[in-house]
């Protein structure tokens, strides 16, 4: 199994304001990610690439999403740590051998690729995302 750091996802209340702040800080232009760029509905974001590292700013567009619940409980901040894999099914099986079980029975698949998640209790309070890009 080959794990590579993809980046971090940061939950934000005001996506345009956060995008402007991060673009100015890193002197880059972010890429808007619409609802179809996420495994679950009700989210939108901005992808900012800095030296090959992805900072994804994510806002909820509806109540009840995992990002909305995170913002209610914790406020803005690091929502999850993202790791890219070549084969999500192999990675999930190997992590199960290490005693880690994903939150989802099956990876969510779409135009973006495939994704699954691990509960924050699994890795010292940080939610883990495994992503296989399309």
């Amino acid at each position: 199994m080959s794990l590579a750091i993809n980046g971090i996802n940061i939950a934000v209340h005001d996506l345009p304001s956060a995008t402007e702040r991060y673009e100015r800080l890193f002197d880059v232009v972010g890429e808007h990610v619409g609802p179809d760029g996420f495994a679950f509905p009700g989210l939108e974001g901005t992808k900012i690439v800095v030296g090959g590292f992805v900072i994804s700013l994510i806002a909820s567009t509806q109540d009840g999403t995992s990002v909305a619940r995170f913002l209610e409980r914790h406020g803005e901040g690091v929502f999850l740590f993202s790791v890219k894999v070549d084969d999500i099914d192999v990675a999930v099986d190997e992590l199960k051998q290490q005693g880690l079980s994903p939150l989802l029975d099956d990876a969510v698949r779409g135009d973006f690729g495939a994704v699954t998640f691990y509960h924050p209790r699994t890795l010292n309070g940080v939610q883990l995302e495994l992503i296989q890009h399309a």
Side-chain angles (χ1 to χ4, degrees):
M1 169 179 62
S2 173
L3 298 178
I5 295 171
N6 188 56
I8 59 170
N9 292 7
I10 300 172
V12 300
H13 288 292
D14 182 342
L15 184 61
S17 175
T19 298
E20 181 182 327
R21 185 175 307 115
Y22 277 80
E23 287 176 333
R24 189 175 45 234
L25 174 66
F26 292 109
D27 194 28
V28 296
V29 175
E31 175 187 342
H32 183 261
V33 180
D36 57 339
F38 292 92
F40 299 102
L43 303 174
E44 70 172 329
T46 302
K47 177 181 174 182
I48 297 174
V49 180
V50 180
F53 186 83
V54 177
I55 300 170
S56 295
L57 305 172
I58 302 177
S60 184
T61 59
Q62 64 188 46
D63 293 336
T65 68
S66 56
V67 171
R69 290 190 308 272
F70 178 90
L71 287 166
E72 288 172 9
R73 282 188 232 131
H74 306 287
E76 295 181 310
V78 175
F79 175 66
L80 64 78
F81 181 70
S82 180
V83 175
K84 56 187 168 186
V85 297
D86 294 328
D87 186 319
I88 200 161
D89 298 319
V90 169
V92 167
D93 286 343
E94 290 187 18
L95 288 177
K96 281 182 182 176
Q97 291 174 18
Q98 294 181 29
L100 303 176
S101 296
L103 287 170
L104 308 171
D105 291 333
D106 296 304
V108 176
R109 298 174 192 276
D111 292 341
F112 55 86
V115 66
T116 194
F117 304 92
Y118 292 80
H119 196 280
R121 285 187 295 265
T122 303
L123 291 167
N124 306 90
V126 178
Q127 181 173 248
L128 175 67
E129 171 189 62
L130 292 186
I131 186 163
Q132 176 185 327
H133 292 288

